[in-house]
């Protein structure tokens, strides 16, 4: 039976005095938080601080012991849980795709349950795969095990978007991916976010991810909400030591004029290198085997540029050589300041740059890894 649409759009989600206990311990204690329609709210905090519990109380996978949760003024406890969940997309870290089902069946599962006919479902699945940069012809009949981690994560997102829900709940969706892949998916996700204009509640414990994606950030610790505000509120006016601690990386980020690129670069990992005379079709296979979605193209040791899986998949038909489609990438010298390099990268939306001494490649600069080293 098709379930009725509960809300076309979200005006607000209000959590009022919400508590949840396991035994004698609070998982979430007296939480007051209002999420505004259309915003991307980040829930951040150490492991065990109550983020997942909070998220799951919004879709009633967990029910609070006390307090209330109102969506557009309606108490979720008065709504049918199945209907409620079908009106929300839910994305988790290990996506939980069904292994014996094709990508089409996985993404089309809920539309099917909602009584859509095969044509309409297939059309929707194709649209969504395209939307998350997986060419449908290539992926629709595959099984999850035939996809890389990043590709599976994209399918997870497509599935969550299947019914065009007004609300997306995301629990550390990129948490299991390596730093470069994570950056790539964050970048694509920002574009998707702009396009769908949905309300999103996003859990992470990665402060850089929080700053990158969030409109507002709610900081949790030990079952309590410490502060909620825009990134700059947290940096300049943290309410206490704990919040200051959690955003500290961001502060260090602003005060590291003394460090050079040389101090914080990483060696160039061969995993990311492609030779310029490889063709696009083969490059896709190689990158899939290496479980990476970004590569650096070299011609006999000379830097040509970078290549992203998303762009590569688009030109498979013509099958050009990778040297002809590689894009220019940022290059820094050993003595450039890290602060300048990182802010330049942030401005142009890049997360990976090359470090060169004249014509010689010395290493690469990956913004996530730089921050990790500073902690
Ligand atoms: P986070 O997502 O921030 O890591 P959780 O919301 O998963 O934290 O958990 C908050 C606290 O509640 C933790 O101390 C966790 O051990 C506890 N907890 C969560 N789920 C259960 C459960 N089903 N039974 C007992 N304790 C739980
Ligand atoms: Mg969690």
């Amino acid at each position: 039976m098709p379930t009725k649409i509960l809300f076309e759009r979200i005006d607000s989600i209000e959590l009022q005095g919400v508590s949840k206990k396991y035994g004698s311990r609070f998982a979430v204690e007296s939480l007051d938080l209002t999420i505004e329609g259309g915003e991307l709210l980040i829930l951040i905090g150490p492991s065990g601080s109550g983020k997942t519990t909070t998220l799951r109380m919004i879709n009633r996978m967990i029910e609070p012991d006390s307090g209330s949760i109102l969506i557009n003024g309606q108490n979720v406890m008065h709504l049918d849980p199945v209907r409620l969940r079908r009106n929300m997309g839910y994305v988790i870290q290990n996506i939980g795709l069904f292994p014996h089902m094709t990508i089409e069946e996985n993404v089309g599962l809920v539309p099917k349950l909602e009584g859509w006919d095969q044509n309409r479902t297939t059309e929707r699945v194709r649209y969504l795969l395209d939307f998350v940069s997986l060419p449908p012809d290539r992926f629709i009949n595959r099984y999850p095990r035939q996809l890389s981690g990043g590709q599976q994560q994209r399918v997870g997102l497509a599935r969550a978007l299947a019914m065009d829900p007004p609300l997306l709940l995301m629990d550390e969706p990129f948490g299991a991916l390596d730093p470069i892949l994570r950056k790539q998916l964050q970048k694509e996700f920002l574009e998707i976010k702009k396009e769908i204009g949905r309300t999103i509640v996003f859990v992470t414990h990665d402060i850089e991810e929080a700053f990158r994606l969030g409109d507002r950030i709610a900081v949790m610790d030990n079952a309590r909400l410490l502060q909620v505000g825009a990134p700059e509120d947290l940096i300049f006016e943290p309410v206490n030591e704990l919040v200051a601690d959690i955003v500290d990386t961001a502060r260090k980020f602003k005060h590291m004029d003394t460090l050079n690129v040389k101090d914080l670069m990483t060696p160039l990992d061969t995993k990311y290198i492609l030779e310029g005379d490889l063709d696009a079709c083969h490059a896709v296979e190689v990158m899939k085997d290496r479980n990476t979605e970004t590569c650096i193209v070299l011609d006999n040791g000379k830097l040509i540029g970078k290549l992203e899986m998303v762009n590569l998949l688009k030109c498979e038909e013509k099958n050009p050589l990778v040297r002809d489609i590689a894009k220019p990438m940022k290059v820094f010298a050993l003595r450039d300041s890290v602060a300048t390099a990182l802010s330049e990268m942030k401005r142009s939306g890049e997360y990976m740059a090359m470090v060169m001494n004249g014509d010689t490649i010395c290493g690469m600069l990956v913004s996530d890894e730089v921050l990790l080293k500073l902690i």
Side-chain angles (χ1 to χ4, degrees), residues 104-168:
E104 168 158 31
E105 290 163 338
N106 266 289
V107 177
L109 184 64
V110 174
K112 267 274 168 65
L113 292 173
E114 289 289 316
W116 291 27
D117 66 35
Q118 186 59 51
N119 282 345
R120 186 177 172 208
T121 306
T122 304
E123 200 179 313
R124 178 75 182 151
V125 172
R126 294 183 68 88
Y127 170 82
L128 287 165
L129 289 180
D130 202 44
F131 191 60
V132 297
S133 301
L134 294 172
D137 286 335
R138 197 180 160 89
F139 287 97
I140 199 159
N141 291 319
R142 293 204 187 173
Y143 287 89
R145 65 170 182 282
Q146 297 172 306
L147 270 55
S148 71
Q151 289 167 344
Q152 289 189 33
Q153 208 60 48
R154 291 193 166 96
V155 175
L157 182 58
R159 188 178 61 178
L161 294 170
M163 298 305 290
D164 199 14
L167 175 64
L168 268 181

Side-chain angles (χ1 to χ4, degrees), residues 241-259:
E241 288 282 306
L242 278 164
V243 175
D245 254 8
I246 289 172
V247 297
D248 204 29
T249 41
R251 229 183 305 170
K252 280 178 185 152
F253 187 81
K254 290 193 178 310
H255 296 288
M256 47 187 198
D257 335 309
T258 51
L259 290 168

Side-chain angles (χ1 to χ4, degrees), residues 180-181 184 268-276 278 282-298 303-312 322 325-329 351-354 364:
I180 289 183
L181 185 51
Q184 173 67 25
L268 183 56
D269 188 334
T270 51
K271 167 177 166 183
Y272 298 116
I273 299 175
L274 288 182
E275 282 301 324
L278 197 67
H282 283 98
V284 168
E285 289 311 313
V286 171
M287 287 169 74
K288 208 197 105 202
D289 288 346
R290 295 180 187 170
N291 205 14
T292 172
E293 305 216 358
T294 310
C295 268
I296 293 161
V297 178
L298 301 183
L303 177 67
I304 305 296
K306 68 171 176 185
L307 205 55
E308 284 165 4
M309 183 72 111
V310 192
N311 303 323
L312 207 48
V322 294
I325 48 172
K327 301 231 167 88
M329 65 188 297
Y351 50 85
M352 192 163 79
M354 295 303 287
M364 52 187 198

